[in-house]
Amino acid sequence: MTQLVVGGAQMGAIQRADSRKAVIARMIALMEEAASRGVEMLVYPELALTTFFPRWYMEDAAEVDAWFEREMPGPQTAPLFEKARELGIAMTFGYAELTPEGRHFNTSILTNRKGEIVGKYRKIHLPGHVEYDTERAFQHLEKRYFEPGDLGFPVWRNEGVVMGMAICNDRRWPETFRCLGLQGVELVTIGYNTPSVNSQMSAEGLKERLFHSELSLQAGAYQNATYVAGIAKAGVEDGHPLMGGSIIVDPNGFVIARAETEEDELIVAPCDFSACAFGKSTIFDFARHRRIEHYGRITSQAGMVVEV
Amino acid sequence: MTQLVVGGAQMGAIQRADSRKAVIARMIALMEEAASRGVEMLVYPELALTTFFPRWYMEDAAEVDAWFEREMPGPQTAPLFEKARELGIAMTFGYAELTPEGRHFNTSILTNRKGEIVGKYRKIHLPGHVEYDTERAFQHLEKRYFEPGDLGFPVWRNEGVVMGMAICNDRRWPETFRCLGLQGVELVTIGYNTPSVNSQMSAEGLKERLFHSELSLQAGAYQNATYVAGIAKAGVEDGHPLMGGSIIVDPNGFVIARAETEEDELIVAPCDFSACAFGKSTIFDFARHRRIEHYGRITSQAGMVVEV
């Protein structure tokens, strides 16, 4: 029976002018609080090291690349890894990755309690658009600055638990959770940066956005009998509000920890991963119940095709 | 802009001794109430014509077949079709289907406002088990009495709306909604018979079961930008409680109508199907955002495979 105390390190706003050094100091402060509360696995948000820069339209490649990390750990992130090793905390956080070949990904990394990297995921479901969009209240240029991930949806056994990662918009796609669930995932970690208002429909505000996020995280947990930690970067970044609402969800789909603020805030949930077994062996025993012969469209057809 | 007033005809308990004639009279009474409230499309539950007989273990083939319909409409169901035609109400209901070849399916039928059959669906995700299970608090023998559906997940344009059907346990599987969503579905109708307690875990009671049902229906609606009507057979059938909780959900995932009882009860929601277009053309514009090259496991692998 594997148990881990899981923490979610929600982060408040990071302004465009904030240095990575200042951000890392905040992440370390959250980690020290986590250690004091017995956390063994700590989940930080998507693009945790900087402001959510895809809201800014940039044409200059050097300006864009300044938001990216060329190595992980690098000089600025090394202190976070050292602190994690010292405190014996496994962790995951998101960052913008620039590869030696010049490729750009929205990435998250997973470490064990020795501070060693055990896994990497690159965001597959990039939302938003490529060019400046005058129809939107604000820009969401992830499709401009990142390639879709090329690593699939892997899982790793980390500290005895089958873990998978996803990032932000991935959580709205049941395919994400199912690909992980088919590999026996027991903990899905998902960082996000989600604007508090829909850039294409101002009537869709904070209440609706929180509901959609929670609905997707809870359905993914229940339908795959897995714990899910959905952790926000929140608060007002240079005038642009991001929602909070970080939660940890149990394998029944129930919320067992929830952030109350839009600031740096730690949430904690002791997780007993043997609780995943009941769902996986009964109502969601995939081998007995799934009928893949009828699912063909899901992998043969990307877009909607209306034939009637 | 297509609009329809959708009604959900939740049905209370049907005892084992109740005749089909008595049940049809109740269905007609619900339809007359629906007509008086302007309903144009009416959704009845799964296996609407009889008690939920898969809770009873039977070995005698004739005893089993007595719960099945050999024709649709047949002598006993013809009055329901006549009433629907007279009132100009399109409808869908579930029944146990016995084909001329002797095959058994858990089926639902779809008609237009002229009372003509326009579609048929056979339940794909059969829950439960085949043999008598002494470990369960009660039996759930759908895998004994039915074959898995062989018609896939079709859609039909009915009264101007792209409609798809699913049945009961199908709603817990995001594959169901996605197969329909990929065909542009705008209304998914789902009847169910769901015991109020989990037969394999007595601690999972009414509150949890209602939550799981609602979560699945809401996630399916939101993630495919479609209306969903999930309609129960409820109440205590020969000592066995079935939950109610019938709801109609809008394409944002919000509940817009909800049953309050476990009896025969009509719920009504005017649905403007143009509301499906926003989600389908933005955050869930499948063609722009889905990455089928990473979904392979969903159709290549039925069961869970843990390789780490």
Side-chain angles (χ1 to χ4, degrees):
Chain A
M1 189 188 321
T2 306
Q3 306 188 0
L4 283 179
V5 179
V6 175
Q10 177 174 290
M11 297 177 67
I14 300 176
Q15 306 307 327
R16 197 168 179 173
D18 290 347
S19 69
R20 282 182 182 64
K21 187 174 176 185
V23 173
I24 296 287
R26 285 166 57 185
M27 293 174 78
I28 287 175
L30 281 161
M31 189 179 283
E32 287 174 336
E33 183 187 350
S36 76
R37 293 176 63 184
V39 169
E40 298 164 291
M41 167 74 201
L42 186 59
V43 184
Y44 293 99
E46 173 194 36
L47 298 174
L49 306 177
T50 67
T51 196
F52 186 67
F53 66 85
R55 75 169 64 89
W56 305 112
Y57 180 77
M58 296 173 275
E59 294 188 327
D60 179 63
E63 185 186 359
V64 172
D65 286 353
W67 298 104
F68 283 72
E69 313 300 314
R70 287 176 171 74
E71 44 183 341
M72 188 56 60
Q76 291 166 310
T77 45
L80 183 66
F81 283 75
E82 283 158 28
K83 181 60 72 177
R85 187 161 40 241
E86 173 195 326
L87 297 174
I89 293 183
M91 67 172 172
T92 173
F93 66 88
Y95 63 99
E97 176 191 12
L98 179 54
T99 73
E101 300 76 32
R103 302 177 69 187
H104 299 73
F105 296 101
N106 187 340
T107 296
S108 57
I109 203 91
L110 177 66
T111 68
N112 62 20
R113 296 181 70 179
K114 294 178 194 157
E116 298 161 342
I117 290 174
V118 298
K120 177 189 280 192
Y121 169 73
R122 290 168 170 164
K123 184 175 182 177
I124 285 175
H125 297 99
L126 297 171
H129 49 112
V130 174
E131 298 300 335
Y132 193 92
D133 182 351
T134 56
E135 304 283 302
R136 290 177 187 248
F138 50 90
Q139 304 299 298
H140 199 110
L141 293 153
E142 286 192 59
K143 285 196 197 288
R144 180 177 185 85
Y145 299 130
F146 302 113
E147 289 180 52
D150 61 348
L151 302 176
F153 294 102
V155 299
W156 303 268
R157 189 172 295 272
N158 190 24
E159 303 300 339
V161 175
V162 183
M163 297 187 186
M165 295 184 277
I167 300 179
C168 196
N169 182 48
D170 283 323
R171 72 195 186 284
R172 304 183 198 275
W173 300 86
E175 291 88 347
T176 301
F177 291 98
R178 187 61 97 224
C179 287
L180 296 171
L182 283 164
Q183 300 171 81
V185 78
E186 297 168 316
L187 174 64
V188 182
T189 62
I190 307 178
Y192 60 85
N193 285 257
T194 300
S196 305
V197 177
N198 189 321
S199 67
Q200 297 171 285
M201 185 184 273
S202 61
E204 186 188 304
L206 183 59
K207 173 174 162 269
E208 290 79 14
R209 305 279 276 176
L210 285 169
F211 165 69
H212 287 156
S213 177
E214 210 160 298
L215 177 64
S216 298
L217 295 168
Q218 291 182 289
Y222 167 59
Q223 294 173 339
N224 294 279
T226 178
Y227 286 92
V228 172
I231 307 302
K233 185 142 66 66
V236 182
E237 294 190 342
D238 296 295
H240 291 82
L242 297 172
M243 68 180 217
S246 302
I247 53 175
I248 301 174
V249 184
D250 77 13
N252 259 315
F254 287 92
V255 175
I256 54 174
R258 184 193 303 275
E260 301 294 335
T261 74
E262 292 188 346
E263 309 292 328
D264 290 6
E265 178 181 349
L266 183 72
I267 60 173
V268 178
C271 297
D272 175 355
F273 293 92
S274 68
C276 301
F278 180 72
K280 288 185 196 298
S281 63
T282 60
I283 198 166
F284 296 116
D285 180 344
F286 294 159
R288 271 195 295 149
H289 301 310
R290 293 182 79 244
R291 307 298 313 190
I292 57 176
E293 68 273 26
H294 295 300
Y295 301 162
R297 284 180 196 276
I298 294 174
T299 48
S300 67
Q301 172 187 331
M304 183 174 83
V305 178
V306 185
E307 289 171 338
V308 294
Chain B
M1 190 187 320
T2 307
Q3 305 188 0
L4 283 180
V5 179
V6 175
Q10 178 175 289
M11 297 177 68
I14 301 177
Q15 307 306 328
R16 197 169 178 173
D18 290 348
S19 69
R20 281 183 183 63
K21 186 173 176 187
V23 173
I24 296 286
R26 285 165 58 185
M27 294 175 78
I28 288 175
L30 281 160
M31 189 179 282
E32 287 175 336
E33 182 187 351
S36 76
R37 294 176 64 183
V39 168
E40 297 164 293
M41 166 73 201
L42 186 58
V43 183
Y44 292 100
E46 174 194 35
L47 297 175
L49 306 177
T50 67
T51 196
F52 185 67
F53 66 85
R55 75 168 65 88
W56 304 113
Y57 179 76
M58 296 172 274
E59 294 189 329
D60 179 63
E63 185 185 358
V64 173
D65 286 354
W67 298 104
F68 283 72
E69 312 301 313
R70 286 175 171 75
E71 45 183 339
M72 188 55 60
Q76 292 168 310
T77 46
L80 182 66
F81 284 76
E82 282 157 29
K83 181 60 70 175
R85 186 162 41 242
E86 172 195 326
L87 298 173
I89 293 183
M91 67 173 171
T92 173
F93 65 89
Y95 64 99
E97 178 190 11
L98 178 55
T99 74
E101 300 77 29
R103 302 178 67 188
H104 299 74
F105 297 101
N106 187 340
T107 296
S108 57
I109 203 90
L110 177 66
T111 68
N112 62 20
R113 296 180 70 179
K114 294 179 196 156
E116 299 161 340
I117 290 174
V118 298
K120 176 189 281 192
Y121 168 72
R122 291 168 170 164
K123 184 174 183 178
I124 285 174
H125 297 100
L126 296 172
H129 50 110
V130 175
E131 297 302 335
Y132 194 91
D133 182 351
T134 57
E135 304 282 303
R136 292 178 187 247
F138 51 89
Q139 303 299 297
H140 199 111
L141 293 153
E142 288 192 58
K143 284 196 197 289
R144 179 178 185 85
Y145 299 129
F146 302 112
E147 288 181 53
D150 61 348
L151 301 176
F153 294 103
V155 300
W156 302 268
R157 190 171 295 271
N158 190 24
E159 303 300 339
V161 175
V162 182
M163 297 187 187
M165 295 184 276
I167 301 179
C168 195
N169 182 48
D170 284 324
R171 73 196 186 284
R172 303 183 198 274
W173 300 86
E175 291 88 347
T176 301
F177 291 98
R178 186 63 94 223
C179 288
L180 296 171
L182 283 164
Q183 300 171 82
V185 78
E186 297 168 317
L187 174 64
V188 183
T189 61
I190 306 178
Y192 59 85
N193 285 258
T194 300
S196 304
V197 177
N198 188 321
S199 67
Q200 297 171 285
M201 185 183 272
S202 60
E204 187 188 303
L206 183 59
K207 173 173 163 271
E208 291 78 13
R209 307 277 278 175
L210 285 168
F211 165 70
H212 288 156
S213 177
E214 209 160 298
L215 178 63
S216 298
L217 295 167
Q218 291 182 289
Y222 167 60
Q223 293 174 339
N224 295 279
T226 179
Y227 285 92
V228 173
I231 307 302
K233 186 145 64 67
V236 181
E237 294 191 342
D238 296 295
H240 291 81
L242 297 172
M243 67 180 220
S246 301
I247 53 176
I248 300 174
V249 184
D250 77 12
N252 259 316
F254 287 92
V255 175
I256 54 175
R258 184 193 302 275
E260 302 293 336
T261 73
E262 292 187 346
E263 309 291 329
D264 290 7
E265 177 181 351
L266 183 73
I267 61 174
V268 178
C271 298
D272 175 356
F273 293 92
S274 68
C276 301
F278 180 72
K280 289 185 195 297
S281 63
T282 61
I283 196 166
F284 296 116
D285 181 345
F286 294 158
R288 271 195 295 148
H289 302 310
R290 294 183 77 245
R291 306 299 312 190
I292 57 176
E293 67 273 27
H294 295 301
Y295 302 161
R297 284 180 196 277
I298 294 173
T299 48
S300 67
Q301 172 187 332
M304 183 173 84
V305 178
V306 185
E307 288 171 336
V308 295

